[in-house]
Amino acid sequence: MPQLPEDIIDRLNKMDRRIKALSTAVNTRPAVSEIRPPAQTGSVTVNRPLFRIFDGYSHEIFADDIMTGGLARPWLALLPPQTVDKAHWPSTTSTTFTTVARSFNPIWQPKLRLSVETGASANATGEVRVLVDGQPFGSPVTAGSTFNHTGLIPGDMNSRFGQIMQIEIQAKANGGTVYAQPVLIYGTQT
């Protein structure tokens, strides 16, 4: 066996120690459960990296806003303030289920939470129900009670991610008028 120069053996030993140190550092790195921004001073410009998270299907499910801070994705729609005067709520006098309110929303989460206040005019009775993409969402409620339901959105979440769903509030009355006003809506996890 040929004789190797001593400096090559020393160099190989140093490389072996460095590889072991790197391997140890990589394998003992703490889980990414906390993210801290880089330290900044008034005179130093810091380039902030874009932070993005993807699900198992390569959908971007989270991103920060590198320009002003905060959340970039998913963007979260907020329900505007609603009138408390039932006379101005969506309503119907129909004796069959009739759509009184409709909205279109992107699908970001597999579940939907929806709360609808309902009411009826004097001596009237009726029901309120919700459809998501034409399918019943929760159980109908008697007018005068609150519809409050959290449930899965119809269809396969993976194939529908980012697409638009249609939400309809329907009501029917038995003599008089039935009112329905959405007061809370958001997507949520399983």
Side-chain angles (χ1 to χ4, degrees):
M1 180 167 162
Q3 199 67 341
L4 293 175
E6 197 171 304
D7 65 328
I8 290 180
I9 292 173
D10 290 339
R11 291 174 73 189
L12 287 172
N13 285 334
K14 283 182 184 178
M15 286 175 53
D16 185 50
R17 285 192 296 274
R18 286 181 182 161
I19 289 171
K20 286 179 181 175
L22 285 171
S23 177
T24 301
V26 167
N27 291 326
T28 59
R29 179 179 63 84
V32 181
S33 59
E34 183 176 328
I35 299 169
R36 296 182 182 183
Q40 298 181 46
T41 64
S43 61
V44 176
T45 301
V46 176
N47 291 327
R48 296 182 193 149
L50 175 65
F51 182 72
R52 300 183 335 169
I53 298 175
F54 297 86
D55 69 8
Y57 299 96
S58 298
H59 300 132
E60 183 181 75
I61 58 174
F62 181 89
D64 66 341
D65 185 333
I66 62 172
M67 300 304 288
T68 59
L71 186 62
R73 183 182 300 270
W75 57 269
L76 304 174
L78 303 175
L79 188 66
Q82 305 294 312
T83 182
V84 294
D85 182 356
K86 289 181 185 168
H88 297 287
W89 288 5
S91 62
T92 187
T93 57
S94 175
T95 58
T96 60
F97 277 114
T98 303
T99 299
V100 296
R102 178 181 295 125
S103 68
F104 298 90
N105 298 278
I107 298 171
W108 295 115
Q109 291 94 1
K111 283 188 172 182
L112 172 67
R113 165 95 191 271
L114 178 63
S115 184
V116 180
E117 289 187 13
T118 71
S121 61
N123 299 322
T125 61
E127 289 182 284
V128 175
R129 71 178 183 184
V130 175
L131 302 179
V132 175
D133 292 331
Q135 296 182 35
F137 182 74
S139 300
V141 297
T142 303
S145 58
T146 300
F147 175 93
N148 189 7
H149 182 69
T150 303
L152 289 170
I153 294 169
D156 175 53
M157 172 64 187
N158 180 44
S159 64
R160 300 200 61 206
F161 185 83
Q163 294 181 0
I164 302 297
M165 68 177 147
Q166 176 179 282
I167 300 169
E168 293 179 90
I169 298 173
Q170 296 187 334
K172 70 176 181 177
N174 297 321
T177 305
V178 170
Y179 306 92
Q181 178 66 42
V183 293
L184 176 72
I185 182 171
Y186 62 87
T188 187
Q189 66 188 32
T190 53

